[in-house]
Structures are given as C-alpha cells and as structure tokens.
Amino acid sequence: MSVSNTSRAQPVKVGIVPQGTGYTLTVEGQPFAIKGAGGDACKAKLVAAGGNAFRTWGVGDDTQGKLDEAHELGLKVVLGIWLRHERHGFDYSNVQEVADQYERVREAVEKYKDHPALLAWALGNEMEGFEAGDNAAIWSHIQACAALVKKLDPHHPTMTVVSEIGGQRVPAIHKLCPDIDIVGINSYGGAPSIPQRYRAAGGTKPYIVTEFGPPGTWEVGLNNFGAVNEMTSKQKAESYGRAYKALSEDALCLGSFAFTWGFKQEATATWFGMFLPNGDKTPAVDAMTLAWSGKPAENLSPDIEPLTVSADAVEPGQTITVKLKASDPEGRPITVDWQLHTEAEQYFTGGDRQDQPRSFPDAYTERSASHAVLVMPQEPGRYRVYAFVSDGEGSGAMANHPLLVKGQDKAPKGVAGRIPHVIYGDGKAKENFIPSGYMGDVESIKMDEQSRVNPHAGETSLKATFAKDSGWGGVVWQHPANDWGDQPGGFNLTGAKRLVFHARGAKGGERINFGFGALGADTKFPDSAGHTQEFTLTDQWKEYAIDVTGKDLSRIKTGFLWSAGAQGNELTFFLDEVRFE
C-alpha cells in the first residue's frame, strides 16, 4: 500500500526502553533490533537478505518515494536531515545561515513525521568535521534542532551522526545535547571495538553504528609508491561479519547499518560497495545475510584470492601479467571482466562525490578467467587493475591491485606561481587565469569584471549574473584561455594552503558552487587536483575558503570556477579578492 498523503497517516510510536545495563528500541511496544544498511541498491534484496531498515542522509525529492517503498516492503527508515559542513563553507556562527538550517529541519519533520515507515530522525552526518569535534556552536545547534524535533514529533527518537568517537564528540553530545536520544557513529576499521571505546569516552546514551564496513583508506598504509592496497571482496565480507557480531552483543547498541548498499566511486571504484557496478552482489551481502537471518544466501558469491602481478612498478608501455584465483562455491562457471583505471588523486574524501577515473579498455592483449596480460599506458602515474568476477546469476566478487608507470608526468608541471596567487582582484598579476570557460546556458551568463557596486576591496569587484529561470550556467578561469585540457599550461601552486575568495549575493540565499580543477584524468592535460563545493551566500560580503592542504597543486590549469542552477528569474552575485594563499 502506497502512503502518498502522510498528513492523515497515523504515526508509529518508537521508544527507547532501559533494560538491564543497556537499552531496547521498540516499535509499537515490540523490540526492534536494527538490521540495516545505507545506500540506494534494491530494497527488496535488503528484505530478502534479512534486513529490516535502511538510513538516508538527507531529505529530497525522492524521500516520499523511499518511505512509501519501505512501508510496502515492511522496512523502517532512519530519515536523515542533512546539516551543512564547515569544510563546505557553512558558518555555525552566522545567525542567518543557522536560522535557515533550523527552518529546513522544521519543514522536514512537519512533512514526514507521521509516515508509518519512519523509525527515527538523524540530524546531520559528520557535520562536526574530522578533527577534534569540539566546536560548541555546532553542538548547540544540534541541541536546538533536536529540541525542535521532539516538540514537533514526540513519537520518534532523535539521533546525530558523528565521524568515529575521538576528540570531544561523545562528551559534547552528552553534556550539550540532552535532547539527542541516540548517538550515531560511523566507524570502519574500529567498529568491532566501539563497545569498549564508547564507554571509555564516557558514553552512556544508546548508540547505533550508522556506517560500518571494511577499514577505510585512511586506516590502511600506503605502499612504496603512495597507493593503498584494497582487500578482496571476500576479505571485506569477513570485516562486515566481525563488526556486526561485536556490535550485536553490546547492550548499549540498538543496531547497525552496513555501508554501502550499492556501489560508489570513493578512493577506488569498489572500496565501500556491497554491490559491483554491474549490480552483482558481493560476499559482503552474503555475510550480512547470514548475520541478519541466520541462514546462508541462496546463491553464494564467488570465492576470490588477491591478484598476483609480474611487476607493480614498470616503465611506460611495459607488459604486465596478472594472475587470478577465483571459483564459484556452487560450481557455476564464472566470467571475469578485467579493467584498468587511473588511480584517484586523493583517497580520503569524507564521502564527497568523485568523478569516475579514466579507463583503458584496449590495454589488454590477453584475458581469461585465470589471467590477463596488459600493456601499460605511456603516461606516467598510478593505475589500478581490477578483476570483476560474475557467476552470471547476480553474484560477483572483486580483487584489484595498484600499479605504477614510472617516469616524469608527460604533462609538465605548471609555470611556477607566486604565493599568494591572485586570480581576481585590483592590481592582479598579468598572464593569470582567464575567465574564458563558459558552461551551460552560456547566452544567459553576464560577467562584469569592473563593477563598482559596493566592492569588497579597492574600487571594483566582479558581478556575475545568470539571467534564466531554468537550466544552469557557470564560468571557469583557465590557463591557457579557452582550453579544456587539450593544451599544456597552468601554474605550479605548490605551497598554497587555501583557496580564498570573498562573495556576496544580490539578495542573499544564492546557492553557488565554487572550486578549482575542472579538468579530470580523461583529458590530455588535466589539472593535478581539484575540488568543488556549494556555498550559500548572504547579502553581505563574507570570506570563504577551500582547504587545499595536501593536494597536488603542481599543475593547476583551471584556477577558479563557479556554477549555479536557476533559482528564480535572475541570479546575481559578486566576487572579490580571489586567491590561493
């Protein structure tokens, strides 16, 4: 039965009941231990595996459909309400930004609080950042939002989700957030030890491990050429099983969510995915099926061993032989899809979206179910060879191995750039980045680099307008001008720590994507690094910054960019003092 109108639905009452030395989550008075996953793969498969819940990270146009589907399948949903991150430009000391976010929480709760699939509210996901987690302004806002949720919806508990439990996270939630009922914890390599470490940090509230899986890239060492070694899908399955067992035995733990019920490009094409890109389930799904249901999966995924390579660091164009040991436990014939990808420029992304790396389908001279022979590209750099195994019946497995093509980068480093490196500002350097890369609905974009309307500094600022009520537009600052990766160029900005810019909206509330490094590995002469994120502007000048510490800035060809979707009849904002420093 579809629940299309939740305003007349009867809410399901969810409670947290003290029991012995811990707590029990109840739904309409009956115990409910969360056996969940997070991700967008088929929810019917989640039910078939023995799962009973899934979590989301934010509210969007698809939220109603997700809740309705969950109700039809008998699943419960921990509904996430996304809270902005400081690393994405949000300022928890800005009264207007915080007030606007508070109202978005109100809107979400009022819209979905009576849906029968709703289990709990998750306020934010790792919004405290990856350092000490000690910004009291963030925790005060979390408390205000939690108090609002409890006032609007007394039937569903509140939770906030943090990145592990180090620093001041656990003490801050316990001392500053009395209206947070549950502590949500994302933990990977450390998940099995959460029961002990949570108590040692002073944790007494019930908790849910909201993401768990194999050790993260930040938890494993680098090899001798700076690449991470990834577990096979069989080894990852063992990690899922160990974590679930340890958590299910803790009286303070209300349940857990395996990550990710689907696949995504993060660090590699397969690091966190419980499914392969072709939709095949991996042994991680089998492990959770056994843990959730107590029964083995009907069609087990193939067994697979780590790949062995004849050499992992070679000269350009050199041939490599890769050997694979894989088999199907039920004796089905297997097929192997061999792939070679460029390696991601950075591993730890905090969940941010990454572009798919470039692939080389013509690199192979031999391919079989037991080995492959490939000729490595001429371009020096890091690569990764993948073996995707399938039984042809919806079950698969994966192993991969990092590779290095030695030598200097074929695309030379950029011209040495002085730090600070001014991209826009009064008296900016000559032969700099040029705002020549117009994107989207270019006819609707207007740029005035000499606007005298209330500049931040000096006599002028840059005025940008997108004059259309649909579609999107943007501009990239390029070097050389009008180049989309076909020519060498750019600046070597090694030593810079931040990309800083000042901006204001004509009205306030304008949502603009700002960043740098638009040229990916699929171009002949790419940027050596890049990052783009959304900022919400006010009608007053404000300094924004993107952290570039640790990024390879040796060849930045697109030094700055903005893009935005239509947000009314006309979108106008101003920029000033844009620089790497």
Side-chain angles (χ1 to χ4, degrees):
M1 179 183 67
S2 177
V3 183
S4 59
N5 187 348
T6 59
S7 63
R8 294 190 298 272
Q10 292 298 314
V12 173
K13 296 180 181 180
V14 180
I16 301 173
V17 180
Q19 187 169 1
T21 58
Y23 298 89
T24 297
L25 188 69
T26 63
V27 175
E28 294 291 4
Q30 298 301 310
F32 187 91
I34 295 173
K35 302 175 181 180
D40 292 328
C42 176
K43 298 305 186 295
K45 292 181 179 179
L46 178 60
V47 174
N52 62 11
F54 65 90
R55 68 168 292 213
T56 70
W57 282 258
V59 170
D61 295 338
D62 59 351
T63 297
Q64 183 71 46
K66 288 182 177 180
L67 288 168
D68 288 349
E69 180 187 23
H71 184 59
E72 292 173 3
L73 293 171
L75 294 169
K76 295 299 180 186
V77 181
V78 171
L79 191 58
I81 300 178
W82 186 258
L83 300 183
R84 298 283 301 279
H85 293 197
E86 290 179 307
R87 66 190 179 91
H88 293 159
F90 192 81
D91 183 358
Y92 277 90
S93 66
N94 184 294
V95 172
Q96 189 59 53
E97 289 186 10
V98 170
D100 290 345
Q101 183 160 266
Y102 183 85
E103 286 306 309
R104 287 194 291 273
V105 172
R106 179 194 300 276
E107 292 170 2
V109 175
E110 289 180 338
K111 187 172 184 178
Y112 299 112
K113 63 184 178 66
D114 293 330
H115 199 290
L118 180 63
L119 183 68
W121 299 99
L123 295 168
N125 184 81
E126 301 183 352
M127 66 282 126
E128 84 286 358
F130 303 121
E131 302 302 329
D134 58 355
N135 186 342
I138 294 177
W139 302 117
S140 294
H141 180 59
I142 297 295
Q143 165 56 23
C145 291
L148 172 66
V149 173
K150 295 181 82 67
K151 178 181 178 181
L152 297 173
D153 179 12
H155 301 303
H156 300 97
T158 60
M159 177 172 68
T160 191
V161 178
V162 294
S163 173
E164 260 289 346
I165 55 173
Q168 293 299 307
R169 290 165 177 80
V170 175
I173 293 171
H174 282 71
K175 294 176 181 178
L176 301 179
C177 304
D179 286 304
I180 287 293
D181 301 312
I182 305 166
V183 180
I185 304 167
N186 293 341
S187 181
Y188 289 87
S193 63
I194 285 290
Q196 296 77 33
R197 293 189 293 120
Y198 181 67
R199 287 169 173 77
T204 57
K205 291 176 182 275
Y207 70 87
I208 298 170
V209 171
T210 39
E211 292 179 20
F212 74 93
T217 54
W218 59 94
E219 296 173 305
V220 301
L222 301 177
N223 69 6
N224 58 2
F225 53 84
V228 289
N229 291 313
E230 182 174 347
M231 291 178 170
T232 67
S233 52
K234 178 181 178 180
Q235 293 169 328
K236 292 179 186 179
E238 296 169 354
S239 294
Y240 281 94
R242 283 194 301 270
Y244 181 83
K245 183 177 186 298
L247 298 171
S248 63
E249 294 172 349
D250 185 15
L252 287 181
C253 184
L254 303 179
S256 57
F257 292 90
F259 184 86
T260 176
W261 193 258
F263 69 90
K264 65 180 297 192
Q265 170 66 41
E266 185 174 351
T268 73
T270 52
W271 197 282
F272 295 110
M274 299 175 73
F275 291 80
L276 298 179
N278 69 353
D280 281 355
K281 69 176 178 65
T282 69
V285 176
D286 296 346
M288 296 316 304
T289 300
L290 181 61
W292 289 333
S293 70
K295 301 176 183 179
E298 291 185 3
N299 175 24
L300 294 173
S301 295
D303 289 324
I304 193 167
E305 300 300 324
L307 300 178
T308 57
V309 298
S310 58
D312 57 11
V314 299
E315 300 297 329
Q318 186 172 331
T319 297
I320 292 177
T321 299
V322 187
K323 293 183 179 180
L324 167 67
K325 290 183 179 180
S327 61
D328 185 77
E330 287 108 356
R332 291 184 176 89
I334 61 171
T335 59
V336 182
D337 178 18
W338 292 93
Q339 295 185 21
L340 178 68
H341 297 177
T342 53
E343 187 76 332
E345 293 178 352
Q346 59 177 345
Y347 292 126
F348 182 36
T349 67
D352 295 344
R353 189 191 71 84
Q354 280 189 319
D355 293 329
Q356 293 291 330
R358 186 163 37 136
S359 62
F360 300 84
D362 298 328
Y364 294 91
T365 60
E366 294 181 32
R367 281 181 281 193
S368 75
S370 62
H371 80 287
V373 179
L374 63 153
V375 178
M376 294 300 293
Q378 293 291 327
E379 183 177 346
R382 296 183 304 182
Y383 297 81
R384 191 171 292 264
V385 58
Y386 293 83
F388 294 101
V389 178
S390 177
D391 70 353
E393 299 292 335
S395 294
M398 181 283 310
N400 66 47
H401 199 290
L403 304 170
L404 175 70
V405 174
K406 301 176 184 177
Q408 295 296 317
D409 195 333
K410 187 175 181 180
K413 291 184 181 349
V415 176
R418 181 179 299 177
I419 305 298
H421 193 94
V422 178
I423 294 174
Y424 177 84
D426 290 348
K428 69 177 183 179
K430 295 181 179 180
E431 301 300 322
N432 209 326
F433 296 102
I434 308 300
S436 53
Y438 281 60
M439 308 179 293
D441 296 312
V442 298
E443 298 297 328
S444 301
I445 301 172
K446 298 179 181 179
M447 292 250 292
D448 178 5
E449 295 188 64
Q450 301 295 319
S451 172
R452 295 183 178 273
V453 179
N454 184 25
H456 168 70
E459 298 180 356
T460 62
S461 65
L462 185 151
K463 179 182 178 181
T465 299
F466 182 67
K468 194 175 181 182
D469 60 2
S470 62
W472 71 282
V475 176
V476 179
W477 274 248
Q478 300 169 311
H479 186 274
N482 303 304
D483 172 60
W484 292 99
D486 299 321
Q487 306 174 53
F491 291 87
N492 184 349
L493 302 180
T494 300
K497 303 297 184 184
R498 302 195 306 163
L499 170 58
V500 179
F501 56 97
H502 293 77
R504 69 175 177 88
K507 300 177 181 179
E510 295 85 353
R511 301 183 304 279
I512 316 293
N513 296 304
F514 294 106
F516 73 103
L519 302 177
D522 58 337
T523 61
K524 184 177 180 181
F525 297 102
D527 287 287
S528 58
H531 184 77
T532 302
Q533 63 193 61
E534 182 185 277
F535 296 83
T536 300
L537 306 183
T538 71
D539 61 358
Q540 301 296 314
W541 284 108
K542 179 182 172 182
E543 181 183 278
Y544 300 88
I546 295 174
D547 185 5
V548 298
T549 304
K551 292 185 180 294
D552 177 8
L553 305 178
S554 62
R555 186 180 62 252
I556 302 303
K557 297 186 62 193
T558 54
F560 190 68
L561 64 90
W562 69 265
S563 67
Q567 298 163 37
N569 293 329
E570 185 173 284
L571 176 69
T572 298
F573 65 96
F574 298 82
L575 286 166
D576 210 345
E577 298 298 305
V578 182
R579 65 187 182 276
F580 282 87
E581 64 178 22

